[in-house]
């Protein structure tokens, strides 16, 4: 059997290695038009920021290493020009001399990846405008920084790459501004969970311009004048990070079925519409694991799994790819942001009737030094109680909690099942009631009716005419730092002594700092016959979302 693989990195290289492990006699040829077949593309921003010091650290496998270990014929600087699916022939060009040749195959795997989008705007080809996809791109940016010594930069696009680049440009001593077309950074987050990210970036000296897009890039006095839909910003360097598009010209030209976004349509076995051609990685359409809708979700983990699955099936197996749920984690200076499953926008688009909770829990036992709170948001389907999405913004311990939640979603857990999870505990690592358990407790209270919620986006519409009671149960000190208009103040520890001051027969809307003490207040008031609603996420979430301020201190001595 002869297998030709077009494209390396995650999907193609994984497929090649798996093929060899399953079939020692197969002839395997891996074609890569660039110089590198397997490199740490997720690590590229950190080389620019000086976190990764050596260029060699970015190269995971060389062609010689691949041959020595797997006896795979790796041909770098060999670009596939066309595919003839009838003759089972790939036409290839050697970039060193421009010569072309043909290579036959029994089975073909496409792993072309996705290319950065370069919008067709004036000035996009300026020498100080870059995109980041591979090691050569990285070296160009790094060389520009060392030779030109730019003082300021604009990053266009607030996704994972854009935010990582902003952090690392800051590490390189460059004043950086992020320009994002939507109303918040990091699209998998909901707006409310992104608010702390915006505030934290401002605290770290990174400017964020939202709801604004670039219309042109001009040269003025040796610098870039980046014209926006509303206003302009000057810079010495611009990184275009507005997203990627599947690189599927070869697939289209040889007659494979593509979706509306240009991604290759494959089945669960990673087979295209041609039975002898497979496709994997960022160029393929996948099934969203939660919504079951078709999606394009470019992530390294799924690409590696898909390469393995394609190899299994070529070698006579029956492996299936069951979908991508979008689990991802992002480092932003010392902050960690993690997501999995659906957010509110995607859940609504999928027609799912969902509910949500917010919790604010310490990364480990609060009495052990160094504990920091993390903000956790859960979404679940109302009818089935199945967990459908999670978002966490915090510092230490965010990644391991998200991994637990991602696993719970993969195995179809109900949100109330989180209560039963027995997770590792010692004071330096967690709490007896882990943040995942706490999120489950709150969700169970909502599901069982013990907790009625209202949300930050409901606050402005609450009547201030006396028809409802609005109650702030924080301490005097907390209230002195800021309050919500129209809320009377009774600290929770004094509530029983002052309950007679709260009118009977009217709904009571209560808030504290995080939602914990206001829940206790609601239980007290419920015992006295009041109909009580708790502000989910509390004052800290409300303030972060509604006010332009610095990120709040991730510690609440009252919220243990």
């Amino acid at each position: 059997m002869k297998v030709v693989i077009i494209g390396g990195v995650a999907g193609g290289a994984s497929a090649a290695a798996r093929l060899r492990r399953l079939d020692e006699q197969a002839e395997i040829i891996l074609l890569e038009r660039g110089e590198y077949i397997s490199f740490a593309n997720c690590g590229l921003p950190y080389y620019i920021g000086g976190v990764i010091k050596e260029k060699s650290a970015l190269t995971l496998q060389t062609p010689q290493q691949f041959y020595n270990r797997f006896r795979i014929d790796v041909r770098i600087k060999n670009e596939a020009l066309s595919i003839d699916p009838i003759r089972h022939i790939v036409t290839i060009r050697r970039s060193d001399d421009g010569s072309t040749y043909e290579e036959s195959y029994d089975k073909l795997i496409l792993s072309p990846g996705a290319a950065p989008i370069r919008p067709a705007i004036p000035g996009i080809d300026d020498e100080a405008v870059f995109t980041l996809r591979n090691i050569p791109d990285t070296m160009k940016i790094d060389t520009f920084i060392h030779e030109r010594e730019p003082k300021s930069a604009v990053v266009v696009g607030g996704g994972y790459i854009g935010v990582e680049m902003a952090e690392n440009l800051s590490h390189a001593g460059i004043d950086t501004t992020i320009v994002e077309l939507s109303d918040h950074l990091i699209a998998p987050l909901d707006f409310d969970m992104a608010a702390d990210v915006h505030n934290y970036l401002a605290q770290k000296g990174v400017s964020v311009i939202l709801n604004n897009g670039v219309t042109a890039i001009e040269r003025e006095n040796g610098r870039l004048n980046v014209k926006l839909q509303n206003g302009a910003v000057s810079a010495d360097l611009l990184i275009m990070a507005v997203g990627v598009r599947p690189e599927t010209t070869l697939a289209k030209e040889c007659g494979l079925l593509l979706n509306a976004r240009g991604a290759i349509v494959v089945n669960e076995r990673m087979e295209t519409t041609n039975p002898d051609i497979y496709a994997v990685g960022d160029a393929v359409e996948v099934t969203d694991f939660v919504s079951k809708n078709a999606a394009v979700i470019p992530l390294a983990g799924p690409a590696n799994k898909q390469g393995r699955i394609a190899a299994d099936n070529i070698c006579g197996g029956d492996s299936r790819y069951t979908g991508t749920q979008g689990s991802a984690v992002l480092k932003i200076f010392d902050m960690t942001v993690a997501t999995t499953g659906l957010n509110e926008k995607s859940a609504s688009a999928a027609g799912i009737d969902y509910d949500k909770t917010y919790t604010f829990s310490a990364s480990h036992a609060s009495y052990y030094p160094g504990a920091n709170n993390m903000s956790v948001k859960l979404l679940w389907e109302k009818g089935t109680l199945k967990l459908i999405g999670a978002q966490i913004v915090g510092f230490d311990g965010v990644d391991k909690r998200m991994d637990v939640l991602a696993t719970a979603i993969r195995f179809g857990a109900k949100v109330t099942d989180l209560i039963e999870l027995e997770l590792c505990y010692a004071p330096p690592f967690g709490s007896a009631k882990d943040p995942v358990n706490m999120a489950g407790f709150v969700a169970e209270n909502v599901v069982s009716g013990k907790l009625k919620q209202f949300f930050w986006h409901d606050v402005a519409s609450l009547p201030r005419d006396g028809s409802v009671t609005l109650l702030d149960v924080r301490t005097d000190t907390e209230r002195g730092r800021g309050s919500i208009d129209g809320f009377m103040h009774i600290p929770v520890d004094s509530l029983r002594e002052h309950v007679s001051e709260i009118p009977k027969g009217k709904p009571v809307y209560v808030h504290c700092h995080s939602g914990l003490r206001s829940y206790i207040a609601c239980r007290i008031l419920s015992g006295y016959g009041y109909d009580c609603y708790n502000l989910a996420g509390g004052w800290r979430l409300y303030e972060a979302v509604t006010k332009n301020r610095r990120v709040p201190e991730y510690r609440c001595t009252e919220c243990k």
Side-chain angles (χ1 to χ4, degrees), residues 243-301:
V244 297
R245 61 167 58 94
E247 198 161 319
T248 53
T249 301
L250 279 175
K252 180 179 180 180
E253 290 178 349
C254 78
L256 300 183
L257 179 64
L258 308 183
N259 69 8
R261 294 180 61 183
I264 304 168
V265 176
V266 294
N267 61 18
E268 292 176 326
R269 291 167 50 86
M270 307 313 298
E271 296 168 332
T272 69
T273 45
N274 184 302
D276 292 324
I277 302 178
Y278 293 71
V280 301
D282 295 352
V284 305
E285 176 186 89
V286 297
T287 298
D288 185 287
F289 179 79
V290 179
S291 71
K292 306 306 178 186
N293 293 333
V296 179
I297 306 175
L299 292 170

Side-chain angles (χ1 to χ4, degrees), residues 84-309:
D84 185 338
I86 305 299
R87 296 170 57 220
H88 283 55
I89 293 291
V90 180
T91 301
I92 305 159
R93 177 173 57 206
R94 301 180 183 91
S95 61
D96 284 342
D97 60 13
S99 62
T100 61
Y101 65 100
E102 293 184 340
E103 194 68 62
S104 64
Y105 65 86
D106 296 313
K107 299 291 184 181
L108 180 67
I109 300 177
L110 301 179
S111 180
I117 295 171
R118 291 182 68 92
I121 59 176
I124 192 68
D125 294 323
D126 190 281
E127 63 174 353
V129 176
F130 300 89
T131 57
L132 181 64
R133 181 188 188 188
N134 51 35
I135 292 178
D137 292 342
T138 307
M139 295 303 112
K140 288 177 184 177
I141 297 170
D142 186 64
T143 298
F144 184 92
I145 290 173
H146 283 90
E147 291 182 354
R148 305 293 185 89
E149 298 182 346
K151 299 296 187 293
S152 61
V154 169
V155 177
V156 182
Y160 293 109
I161 294 295
V163 174
E164 287 174 345
M165 280 302 305
E167 174 194 351
N168 282 282
L169 289 169
S170 294
H171 285 321
I174 301 171
D175 290 335
T176 304
T177 298
I178 301 174
V179 176
E180 168 57 43
L181 187 61
S182 76
D183 64 356
H184 70 282
L185 303 180
I186 311 170
L189 288 179
D190 287 315
F191 172 76
D192 46 23
M193 294 295 285
D196 280 350
V197 176
H198 303 160
N199 295 329
Y200 180 73
L201 282 169
Q203 179 179 319
K204 289 295 184 178
V206 175
S207 300
V208 177
I209 299 174
L210 301 170
N211 295 302
N212 217 332
V214 176
T215 59
I217 304 165
E218 298 177 348
R219 276 278 167 183
E220 285 188 6
N221 301 319
R223 305 187 72 214
L224 299 177
N225 181 34
V226 184
K227 292 194 170 182
L228 309 177
Q229 293 169 338
N230 181 19
V233 59
S234 296
D236 303 311
L237 166 69
L238 186 145
I239 305 293
M240 189 63 65
V242 295
V244 297
R245 61 167 58 94
E247 198 161 319
T248 53
T249 301
L250 279 175
K252 180 179 180 180
E253 290 178 349
C254 78
L256 300 183
L257 179 64
L258 308 183
N259 69 8
R261 294 180 61 183
I264 304 168
V265 176
V266 294
N267 61 18
E268 292 176 326
R269 291 167 50 86
M270 307 313 298
E271 296 168 332
T272 69
T273 45
N274 184 302
D276 292 324
I277 302 178
Y278 293 71
V280 301
D282 295 352
V284 305
E285 176 186 89
V286 297
T287 298
D288 185 287
F289 179 79
V290 179
S291 71
K292 306 306 178 186
N293 293 333
V296 179
I297 306 175
L299 292 170
N304 277 281
K305 295 180 182 70
Q306 292 160 13
R308 179 185 178 93
I309 289 168

Side-chain angles (χ1 to χ4, degrees), residues 355-359 376-380 439 442-443 446 453 455 536:
D355 209 339
K356 60 184 177 181
T357 54
Y358 304 84
T359 52
V376 182
K377 181 176 184 177
L378 298 184
L379 276 67
W380 70 90
V442 173
V446 172
Q453 301 186 104
F455 301 100

Side-chain angles (χ1 to χ4, degrees), residues 379-389 411-415:
L379 276 67
W380 70 90
E381 187 176 29
K382 286 184 179 179
T384 64
L385 302 186
K386 275 192 174 182
L387 188 63
I388 62 170
F411 289 102
K414 296 180 180 180
V415 69

